[in-house]
Amino acid sequence: MGFDSENGIENEKAPDWATSIPVDNVQEMVRRDSYAVPEKYIRNLEDRCGNTCLFSASTHSIPVIDLSLLTDNCKEELKKFDLACAEWGFFQVINHGIAQEILLGMKDAAVSFFKLPLEEKEKYSMPPNDIQGYGHAYVASTEQKLDWSDALIMVVYPTHYRKYKYWPATPRELKDAIEAYSFEVNKVAEKLLSFLSLIMRKDKEGLLGLHKEVMQALRLNYYPPCSKPDQVIGLSPHSDTSTISILMQDEDVTGLQIRHDEEWVSVKPIPNSLVVNIGDVIEILSNGKYKSIEHRAVINDQKARISYASFICPNDDVEIEPLEQTVDCQEPQKLYKKIRYGDFLRQSMKRKMEGKAHTDIAKIEKNIKDL
């Protein structure tokens, strides 16, 4: 249940999502001893982020989409958008319409929150049965390797899903910043869904209608510096369970990497841009034409990094499966079965982040080996 801050009562319509085992706070661990790196964070050699496995691409290697041109019905930009979704699954969006002061307001408020003493932040700790709040998600076992990061996670839309007791009251400006930023991101998401509808051969409002009631979550990730950055991972490789994800990055620290052509490609931030990626829902709806892409966060030894990830998802009760218009001569068979989104989401959240292994839940069994 969620808490209605205006009336002081619990909101029975707010669902729980998944459990995650509590683990140590990484930011506090670094504050106490900046050289300590416990064994549970040290990755196996094949999983590390050393120079031998990194391929640093220029900004222009990641497609850049001008949302204002898409909105003006530019056919060339729509073709570029289609290509970015099909070949990369990731792109940076410029001219998205969100005012710079809203972006900076979100960043400044988040920085202030993560600067608070641990005991203040822990007032909003995740409960045993959910991942809203401050802490760590996707910790499914005491044996798994841990990510070098902490997070604050909140469901923002629909508003009756909000659990206000996990929305920090300090700093005072944080709630308003989340509200303003998430409202604007929601408008960008609706525009992007309309153009995804078009390239998936549906009417412009088709995808939005399929969602019934769009769910939007916000995850603020804090990545402290590490004395052994090549031996840890900030966020394990994974694809997103969302329809699409919209990310704002710090502009002076590069940390996001995506898997492309079997290489890890660094996504260098463009000032005032947003990074958008295709989620598992679009992969399923498109019958694999537009694939969700593995990505991860890497660490440096000098400076902390914060990222701001918004996840746009269908309502829990929506059943997702390949759209009829995506089953054609190029792919005449459905590669994914019909599955209730809430079931797909929760089953995925019960596991540790492990590439795209969780998507097997939705695949038709005979095709799993071929995908």
Side-chain angles (χ1 to χ4, degrees), residues 74-90:
C74 174
K75 291 182 179 179
E76 287 304 313
E77 199 68 13
L78 187 62
K79 290 179 182 177
K80 188 178 173 183
F81 176 71
D82 186 11
L83 201 63
C85 292
E87 294 190 355
W88 282 84
F90 261 85

Side-chain angles (χ1 to χ4, degrees), residues 216-242:
Q216 182 174 326
L218 176 64
R219 175 172 174 152
L220 306 180
N221 298 299
Y222 184 89
Y223 303 100
C226 179
S227 61
K228 300 177 181 178
D230 58 331
Q231 297 183 30
V232 302
I233 295 180
L235 200 60
S236 297
H238 66 285
S239 65
D240 291 342
T241 52
S242 58

